Every structure is written in structure tokens, then in C-alpha cells.
Amino acid sequence: MTDEEHPVDEEHPVDARHSTAEQRRLDDEGAGWRDWGPYVAERAWGSVREDYSADGDAWASFTHDQARSRTYRWNEDGMAAFSDLEQNWCLGLALFNGVDPILKERMFGLAGPEGNHGEDVKEYWWYLDSTPTHAFNSWRYHYPQSPFPYDDLVATNAKRGKLDPEYELVDTGIFDESRYWVVSVDYAKAGPHDLLMQITVENAGPDARTLDVLPTLWYRNTWGWGYPDAGEKPQLHAEGDAVVGAGGAAGPLMLRGDAGGHPLFCDNETNTAKLYGESAATSPHYPKDGINDFIVSGAATVNPEQTGTKAALHYRVTLEPGETRVIRVRLTGGVADARPTDFDETVATRRAEADEFYAAVTPPGTPDDQVAVLRQAFAGLLWSKQFFHFNVQKWLDGDPAYPPPPPGRADVRNTHWRHLDAHDVILMPDPWEYPWFAAWDLAFHCVTLAHIDPGFAKGQLILMLREWYMHPSGQLPAYEWNFSDVNPPTHAWAALHVFLLDGGTDYTFLARIFHKLLMNFTWWTNNKDHGDNNLFQGGFMGLDNIAPLDRSKLPPEVGILEQADSTAWMAMYALDLLNISLRLAAHDRSYEDVATKFIEHFLQIASSANAASMWDDDDAFFYDVLHLADGRDVPLKVRSLVGLVPVVASLAFAGDGSADLPEFDARVAWYLNAHPEVRESFHERTSDDDQSYLLALVSPERLQRILAKVFDEDGMLSRHGIRAISAYHRTHPFSIEVEGVEAIVDYEPAESTSGLFGGNSNWRGPVWFPLNVLLIEALRGYGTSGAPDARVELPLASGNFVTLTEAADELSSRLISLFTPGADGRRPADARYELLSTDPRWAHNIFFYEYFDGDTGQGLGASHQTGWTALVAHLILTSGSR
């Protein structure tokens, strides 16, 4: 099995963009084009890192209301903000409409306990464009001209229950008569450390209005925590109409803007008098909220000496209806030169270079509406890069300048991850709702990103396996809220895709990944196969409340839950490591024997899964099985994605690899003869002109039976992809009684209607991108090499029989259709609101939601989840249906 014999190598080629200016910047690694970027979160309040409480209630420990006055310990947040790689400094945007109670410096949203479906941002902004080096970035925000309804959003959502829809900003009527500002920020780099910030404001309303615009530069507070090695405290000061920075790790900086910008200064220090009642004599004189208080109420809270660690250039603009104003700002590092005269030309050039770069990436014939989706999906993914700083040991023990944290907090979370010491830029799932990494999310992010920036994608995958992330036991940290939780092992799958999208030649990368994944695979086998029978547990496995029971907290006295998805994930993991080891063995024969280890391990897992009671032959579906302590085995007969993960555990390839690795082939032949019971997972197909192989937990015959249920539009197939749980359960709920408590699963197409395990995240019916994409790729593998002659009816009872490859193309088209206008001109994901779907100022701006209503396609959950939802770009670039 050679590199050329694997069908995934046929993915979109990577060399079409090599002649572009942006690609030349990417190739010039020593020039520092990545040093500055949009590495600032949209939210740092309410995060685990900032939670120093005894009970672990992160939302209450650091609230939105405190954020403007309280210094962050670990990282900053802001609107349309850039920073350097270590976030020594940040440049962002603040706005004031003249009537709000506070300066708009960060996006507002509800804390987890405040929303009727969990945490939820209540603002409208979009990431419109970005290149991988961030030589050009574009951002857009719609800011109401009437007082922002902070109290109304909190109070009304508090009155709504789980059965009610969320009360959104548009529901308040605040955008009626177009009474809002359209604010756009375009960043263009004149050089690696020469950043042009173009702020465009448009009065969309019917009356003349005034807006305060404050491009703001500030230093992250690294000096206030009591460490002797903190280094020199940086300082900003005024020189004429410019803000000049000196000292600290950032080096010299200069911020200059168009005429009329008045410099305002305060310090990035906590207002202890306001928050904690400390004496005004000991509280900072010009604290973090000093510019806010000066703009909003005219307080004497900005430093008249024009020095500090936070500074803004204050512009006040009055515009007639429909009028637009452009404000130009330039930040330079290392030099303090005059404002260039070619500002507009540089912005236009960088925008044109972004167009050139994406034109080279986009396949010919891609429809215009898909091109727009592709561009904004990549933009959101690139804007989601964030500086992630978290030293768990210091967080648990506290800092020298402050009293130690309360003792109880050591038992809240992450106690066993003291080694974790993060200080890196990472692709985040969502910059507001999920401003922290999640291991299996990141795998999907990297596959999409590899189409445009494989170097960064490879670095991200390696990062999670480094010694300051991976636990000494071999476990990968799941996500910040609980590093010890267990996510599906998708890292090897992602590494293979990134390797191939990068041209399939970086064997050093593949070997680095492989060595560390051996440790992680061993952790899985040692910790999640409690019966030593190749049937695995794992907990909720990223699927939250998809099951009737909390799979992460089943008491051992009740029984053991063997999970169809966990078992299949491990079968897939073994196949991915087999694939990697074979590719490495083609260049280094020392990997040949480890390849035999993984093919045998896969065959053992697949054989156990097919022989176990988790396969129901009457239903033609896989189910979790609860082995009760009294000896009874109870299959949890919920038709869900849990039962489809086994389909993903497949590897199809063409060609005869015997001439390349004879010892491997001989060992496989011996093993199949010695263990005939595993043969049902090894399929060989020979024709006149080729030979193909399929390693699969699910045989082609069983697959066709499974798909007959899946492709039922009254079952798992929706107009926009595969549902998490079959609509069959709408009228046939599944129930089980355990320890005298009845647990029920029915079909919920949208948000969760009960406070079940998994918070606001709902896998009980909506369409989710990650597993849909894995299923699509599995079907392509079956259709290419494993079962090219197989036909399935799609949809069921339609009389339309298609190949498995054609079925994959149809599912891909259905997912893409979430973001493209339908016959009524509306994008299904935004169809709930006419304003978002039809208004010219709104309709072309695309949200990338966390998941989608299983019946209508309406977007749900986090609204900027261009982490794994950006997989739509991967589908567009690899679709065979154009």
C-alpha cells in the first residue's frame, strides 16, 4: 500500500496557489508575517482560567459587568482585535453610541445559567475575510443606535423555559427602521510589523447620529502578579497626536491615526475601589475602566499626563443617513515613522491579493454562492486563532501578589493537570462561546485549514501532543472545562488528511505525530477497555446528551456500559495508525512490524464488535449495551449517530502492496488463516484491471442494511444532512428504568428541552457537521474501493438508487445547502429572521452555527462556530457533485 494507492490523495491539490503573493509570504517563514494577527478572544470573562472561586462557578466568578473594570490574569478580549503572538500588546476597537450605559469594548452575552438554553452571545458581527498570514483581515459589526438592551435580554431570557426559543437581540426591535451603525474594520499589513487599521462607519438609520470611535492599544498585564521575573513594565505615552509604546517584551510601538483623534490614557489595572470597596487612595487613579468612565459620563478618569498602559485615539463622528466615514490608523513596531501616504493603496492591494489567493484555492466551476461560503468559512476559522495562556499549577496555587485561592477549588477541576503550561496561539472552536481549545474540535479545524495553510495545521496537531499538553499517562487534554474528560480520538485521522493535503511528503511530521499517538492509543487500551475484550467505554465522547443515561457518570454498582461509538472510534484509531505506519514503512522498514500490530488490533476490535450484542441484526443497527450488575444485558435501542460511528471505522485502498512490504503481507495472510473469525472485516476485491481492499468494522452488506434506515427522511436523513437522532423517536421514544429512575430519549430537532447532562449542547436530533463529514468520507471509501457496485435508495421509498459515492455527494450537497440561498432566497441557517435573510446589509454576511435544526436547518448554539462548522469549506473543496 503506497502513498499513490490511497484515494484520499485525490483531494484538492495544494500547488495551484503557489504563485500568489500570500503564498510567498507563507513560504517566507523567517520574515515574521505571522507575528501579528487576530489572536485576541471575543470573551475572556466567564472562563475557567479567570475563575478563582471555591465552587468552580466560572460564570459568576468573573462576569461581563466586571470585565471593563477588572484586569484579566491570563489573556485579553476585545472587538476586532489584533495582538502579537505572545499577546504582549493588543489593538482593538471601542465604540459609544452616546446613549449606552457603558462603552462597547467587548461583545455581550448571557452567562450559562442566564440563558434558557445555556450561554449565548447577543450581538451581530461577522468575520468576512482573512488570509493565513493576516496580511488582510476584514470584520463587520452592527451596533444599535438606541440604548443597548442589556437588562431586557437578561430579564426576558430568564423568564423563558427550555421549551421557548431564545430571546435574541433582533427580537427586541432595536434594529427596526435600520437604526444602527454598520462598523467595518479592515486590517492590511504594509510589512510584518506594520499594521494598517481601516475603520469604516456607516449610519444605516433614518436620522443624523453621532458615534464615538476609539481604536485602542493596550498592554496585557504581565507585571501585576508578583513574579520577580516579570520583566520591565511597559509604558504608553503621547507624542503629539500619536501614542508611543516602550519597554517590556513588546518593544517599541507607535500608534498614529487620521487627524482629529485625541489620545486618552489609563492603566490596565483593576478598579479595586469600584469592585471591592478599596480606598481610593490605594486603588489605581486611572484604572482599566478609566476611558469608559470618561467617555460615558465625563469623569476625570483619564490620565492628564497622557501616560499609562492602555490608550485610545478618540474620534467623534456625526453622519447623515446613509453617510459613511473612514478612519485610518497605523500601528508600527520597532520604528516610529510618519504615517504613509499610500494607506488606501496598501489596503486595496492586500484585498486584491486575498482575492488572488482564494481564487487559486477554489476549484473551477464552483457556484458563486458556494464561493462566498468558502471565503467566509476560512475567514472565521482564521479569526478564531487565539492566544491561549494557562499555567494550571499557578492557577491552582495562586500568584505571589494575592492570597492563595480557597482550598475547595482544588477539587473542582483539572487538579491532575498541573503539568499543563500553555502559552500558544491555537485555533478555537468559537471566539465567544468556546474561547478555549477542544482536542477533537481542533482535529476538524486542522483538516479544513490544511487546504490553505498546512504548515500551521501541522503545528497545531503537534502542539496538542507536546509534553506541556499531553498528560504523562498519554491522555490528551479534552477541553478547558475538564481536561480529564474524554473526546473521540480523531487526531490520527486529522494528521493523515493534513499530511495528504500538504502533498504527502512530510514524513518527519507524520513520524512525530505517530510516536506520540502510540502513547495515546496505549492510554485508551489501558483505561477504556475495562473488560479487556476490545469493547470500549469512554463516557459522553463529545456527544453530550445523545443517550438516555449520562455515559460519563454511570455508577459502577449499576453496571458497565459498552459503547458502540467508543468501540468504533478505537477501531478507526487503529486503522488510522495502520495507515500512518504503512506510509512510514515505505520509507523506513522499521515501521513494518508496528503496522502488523495495528491491523491485528483493528481486526480484533471489529470482530468483537460484530460478535457482541451491540449489533442488532433485526434492527440492522449498532447500539450501546448496558451490562447491569445483576447480569442482565440491556441494549439502548436509540437510533443515533452512536450507531453510525462503526461505519466510519473503515479503510479502503487499491493496489497490491506485497512487493513493497512482503513481511507485512505475509503476516497478514498468516493472521487471517489463523483467525478466520476476523475475515468478515477484511474484504478483497479483484477485477480484470485492478485489485482493491477494504478493512471495515461494518461489512458492505451490513452497511446497505444500515443505510436503508439512515436514508429515511422520516428517520435520520434531513434536508440538510444526517440527524443526530432519528426522527423515528418523535413518535417512538425510547425509555429505560435504571435504579428506579426512568430515562427517556425522544427526538428534539432543535435545542435541548430539558436540563440534561451536557448543558446546552444538544445531540438529540439536530444536524452536526463533524460526524456528517466523517460519514461522507467513509461512504466515499466504500464506494471507491470497498463496494463500488453497491446501490442504496436515497431517500428511502423514492425509487432513486445511487452508488455509495453518489450518496456521499448528496449528503455533502445537503450540508452545503445550509449556507446557500434556497428557492425563497433565504439561507436555511438564517431563515428564522427576515432581517438576517433578506436585508441587503445583512443577507450576505454568513453565520457559522454550532449545529442546525434537524427539521428546518435553522442555525443553533454558538453563532461563530467556524471551528468544525468550517468543514463546509472542506466539503466544497472536495465535493464530487459540482
Side-chain angles (χ1 to χ4, degrees):
M1 288 173 276
T2 66
D3 295 342
E4 292 73 26
E5 293 163 350
H6 195 281
V8 79
D9 286 340
E10 299 172 7
E11 290 179 338
H12 187 64
V14 299
D15 53 0
R17 63 177 184 267
H18 283 343
S19 62
T20 65
E22 173 64 10
Q23 186 61 47
R24 289 193 294 273
R25 285 189 286 268
L26 279 170
D27 294 339
D28 190 4
E29 295 182 1
W33 283 98
R34 299 179 191 267
D35 290 353
W36 294 7
Y39 308 141
V40 185
E42 299 283 357
R43 176 179 65 83
W45 58 276
S47 68
V48 166
R49 281 157 287 166
E50 301 297 337
D51 174 18
Y52 284 79
S53 67
D55 59 2
D57 186 350
W59 290 109
S61 175
F62 200 133
T63 67
H64 173 270
D65 190 54
Q66 293 174 341
R68 67 182 179 277
S69 306
R70 179 175 164 186
T71 304
Y72 293 122
R73 169 64 179 89
W74 296 101
N75 66 286
E76 297 292 327
D77 63 13
M79 300 196 306
F82 261 50
S83 77
D84 63 340
L85 283 168
E86 295 187 337
Q87 205 167 98
N88 296 298
W89 58 264
C90 301
L91 174 65
L93 180 66
L95 303 166
F96 183 60
N97 58 14
V99 293
D100 274 353
I102 61 174
L103 196 64
K104 180 65 68 173
E105 296 179 274
R106 59 189 50 80
M107 299 301 178
F108 172 73
L110 302 183
E114 293 176 319
N116 58 323
H117 296 288
E119 67 268 40
D120 186 27
V121 71
K122 300 298 184 184
E123 306 260 19
Y124 295 104
W125 79 98
W126 300 265
Y127 306 114
L128 298 184
D129 210 354
S130 179
T131 60
T133 66
H134 309 294
F136 184 75
N137 270 51
S138 187
W139 175 96
R140 177 183 176 110
Y141 173 53
H142 289 180
Y143 181 39
Q145 294 176 347
S146 301
F148 196 91
Y150 293 104
D151 293 339
D152 180 27
L153 288 167
V154 173
T156 303
N157 277 287
K159 296 175 183 176
R160 297 194 173 190
K162 294 288 187 182
L163 298 178
D164 301 313
E166 293 166 350
Y167 183 60
E168 304 291 3
L169 183 58
V170 67
D171 293 320
T172 69
I174 203 165
F175 294 109
D176 292 354
E177 299 181 301
S178 298
R179 295 184 181 276
Y180 58 91
W181 295 95
V182 177
V183 182
S184 300
V185 177
D186 296 320
Y187 283 107
K189 292 181 183 177
H193 304 152
D194 192 347
L195 184 64
L196 309 183
M197 180 186 192
Q198 178 177 277
I199 305 165
T200 305
V201 295
E202 177 196 1
N203 180 3
D207 306 312
R209 292 283 182 168
T210 298
L211 179 69
D212 292 275
V213 181
L214 298 100
T216 304
L217 176 68
W218 71 100
Y219 291 113
R220 179 169 62 89
N221 190 321
T222 59
W223 57 84
W225 314 106
Y227 293 97
D229 59 350
E232 179 187 13
K233 180 179 177 180
Q235 192 73 19
L236 300 170
H237 66 274
E239 289 187 9
D241 60 354
V243 174
V244 176
L253 295 172
M254 174 173 278
L255 182 70
R256 298 180 67 94
D258 283 342
H262 179 63
L264 303 174
F265 292 81
C266 64
D267 287 300
N268 189 10
E269 306 276 4
T270 298
N271 188 338
T272 54
K274 175 181 178 179
L275 294 181
Y276 311 120
E278 186 176 304
S279 167
T282 56
S283 183
H285 294 301
Y286 309 107
K288 180 180 177 179
D289 53 12
I291 295 174
N292 172 90
D293 293 353
F294 173 80
I295 294 293
V296 174
S297 62
T301 50
V302 294
N303 192 340
E305 301 295 323
Q306 294 194 311
T307 64
T309 50
K310 178 180 178 181
L313 297 178
H314 180 205
Y315 295 88
R316 177 164 290 170
V317 298
T318 300
L319 300 179
E320 296 296 323
E323 188 179 359
T324 296
R325 167 80 182 274
V326 176
I327 297 170
R328 300 168 182 83
V329 177
R330 178 192 183 197
L331 178 68
T332 54
V335 295
D337 206 351
R339 185 172 66 251
T341 58
D342 61 351
F343 191 108
D344 294 344
E345 179 182 349
T346 301
V347 173
T349 297
R350 294 293 180 260
R351 180 181 279 112
E353 290 170 352
D355 292 341
E356 173 194 44
F357 178 77
Y358 283 110
V361 171
T362 306
T366 304
D368 289 345
D369 53 3
Q370 291 188 22
V371 172
V373 175
L374 181 79
R375 186 77 168 261
Q376 290 187 44
F378 279 126
L381 191 61
L382 291 167
W383 272 95
S384 295
K385 292 181 185 178
Q386 295 171 37
F387 172 71
F388 183 82
H389 181 31
F390 191 20
N391 182 306
V392 175
Q393 180 167 325
K394 289 182 178 179
W395 176 74
L396 287 170
D397 295 343
D399 299 312
Y402 293 88
R409 68 185 302 277
D411 300 322
V412 172
R413 56 169 65 93
N414 296 334
T415 304
H416 303 297
W417 291 82
R418 283 181 171 269
H419 75 284
L420 197 146
D421 185 6
H423 195 269
D424 306 283
V425 170
I426 305 178
L427 283 170
M428 303 297 180
D430 175 282
W432 191 92
E433 190 160 326
Y434 303 110
W436 28 262
F437 76 86
W440 84 301
D441 299 58
L442 184 62
F444 296 107
H445 307 172
C446 289
V447 169
T448 301
L449 188 67
H451 287 279
I452 59 171
D453 192 358
F456 190 84
K458 288 187 290 184
Q460 292 284 283
L461 291 172
I462 290 171
L463 181 65
M464 287 295 108
L465 301 172
R466 292 306 303 267
E467 53 275 16
W468 56 90
Y469 286 91
M470 176 185 272
H471 196 276
S473 67
Q475 184 179 9
L476 292 184
Y479 47 87
E480 187 184 41
W481 283 87
N482 184 1
F483 289 136
S484 293
D485 221 326
V486 182
N487 280 173
T490 52
H491 226 74
W493 169 84
L496 273 166
H497 277 68
V498 171
F499 169 78
L500 294 169
L501 286 165
D502 189 38
T505 59
D506 190 351
Y507 292 96
T508 300
F509 159 73
L510 208 56
R512 289 185 71 185
I513 287 283
F514 182 71
H515 295 153
K516 289 295 187 69
L517 289 179
L518 288 176
M519 298 170 62
N520 182 243
F521 187 89
T522 302
W523 177 86
W524 271 91
T525 57
N526 288 342
N527 289 276
K528 297 303 175 183
D529 180 7
H530 294 303
D532 290 327
N533 57 1
N534 294 305
L535 300 175
F536 289 82
Q537 297 78 51
F540 80 88
M541 292 295 291
L543 306 187
D544 292 29
N545 52 16
I546 200 167
L549 306 172
D550 187 341
R551 302 195 300 174
S552 293
K553 296 180 180 179
L554 187 68
E557 61 270 19
V558 172
I560 297 293
L561 186 67
E562 288 179 338
Q563 297 177 212
D565 56 339
S566 296
T567 301
W569 285 121
M570 283 302 290
M572 172 183 161
Y573 200 175
L575 286 176
D576 290 332
L577 292 178
L578 166 65
N579 197 340
I580 292 173
S581 59
L582 287 172
R583 293 175 184 280
L584 292 170
H587 294 264
D588 182 346
R589 293 290 292 273
S590 66
Y591 288 93
E592 189 170 6
D593 56 349
V594 78
T596 66
K597 176 264 187 292
F598 283 113
I599 193 170
E600 292 180 13
H601 206 140
F602 162 73
L603 291 170
Q604 291 164 6
I605 295 172
S607 177
S608 296
N610 282 303
S613 54
M614 62 178 56
W615 168 254
D616 188 305
D617 199 57
D618 292 333
D619 288 359
F621 212 75
F622 286 91
Y623 300 119
D624 287 349
V625 177
L626 176 59
H627 299 286
L628 291 169
D630 62 10
R632 290 179 296 144
D633 293 343
V634 181
L636 305 184
K637 292 192 173 186
V638 180
R639 298 178 189 174
S640 74
L641 288 173
V642 166
L644 287 186
V645 177
V647 175
V648 173
S650 59
L651 172 63
F653 53 93
D656 183 359
S658 59
D660 301 307
L661 300 171
E663 292 183 12
F664 170 78
D665 289 337
R667 173 67 184 181
V668 171
W670 174 87
Y671 190 80
L672 292 172
N673 287 329
H675 300 277
E677 72 277 5
V678 305
R679 277 189 167 274
E680 64 179 317
S681 300
F682 186 95
H683 307 273
E684 184 176 358
R685 181 178 177 274
T686 303
S687 64
D688 293 338
D689 54 357
D690 67 2
Q691 189 172 17
S692 62
Y693 302 88
L694 174 70
L695 293 167
L697 192 155
V698 178
S699 69
E701 295 75 22
R702 279 189 176 180
L703 175 64
Q704 289 178 271
R705 294 181 63 199
I706 291 172
L707 293 180
K709 291 238 185 339
V710 172
F711 289 161
D712 181 357
E713 291 188 315
D714 292 324
M716 296 192 75
L717 180 65
S718 82
R719 286 175 291 168
H720 304 291
I722 301 298
R723 299 175 168 113
I725 285 181
S726 173
Y728 165 84
H729 292 296
R730 194 195 315 259
T731 54
H732 300 84
F734 172 81
S735 66
I736 182 174
E737 183 176 308
V738 177
E739 296 286 282
V741 178
E742 184 182 29
I744 299 175
V745 171
D746 57 6
Y747 171 69
E748 296 183 350
E751 293 98 340
S752 176
T753 59
S754 61
L756 292 169
F757 33 89
N760 67 316
S761 193
N762 180 24
W763 288 78
R764 294 210 162 182
V767 171
W768 292 77
F769 258 78
L771 286 185
N772 268 268
V773 168
L774 289 174
L775 287 166
I776 287 169
E777 295 202 342
L779 292 178
R780 292 197 198 285
Y782 276 98
T784 301
S785 299
D789 301 324
R791 295 290 187 276
V792 292
E793 192 175 18
L794 178 61
L796 187 68
S798 67
N800 179 45
F801 286 84
V802 298
T803 66
L804 297 178
T805 300
E806 290 168 337
D809 291 341
E810 172 62 19
L811 290 180
S812 181
S813 295
R814 291 188 180 215
L815 287 162
I816 294 169
S817 73
L818 285 161
F819 303 97
T820 56
D824 60 357
R826 299 188 180 192
R827 305 177 195 276
D830 283 326
R832 175 183 170 190
Y833 294 106
E834 183 176 359
L835 178 68
L836 273 63
S837 301
T838 63
D839 189 292
R841 285 193 176 96
W842 296 72
H844 299 293
N845 309 310
I846 302 173
F847 287 113
F848 292 86
Y849 295 94
E850 186 178 2
Y851 50 97
F852 302 85
D853 188 297
D855 292 340
T856 68
Q858 174 64 50
L860 303 164
S863 54
H864 296 76
Q865 229 281 9
T866 31
W868 62 27
T869 303
L871 283 165
V872 67
H874 176 68
L875 293 178
I876 292 170
L877 291 174
T878 59
S879 175
S881 59
R882 279 187 299 275

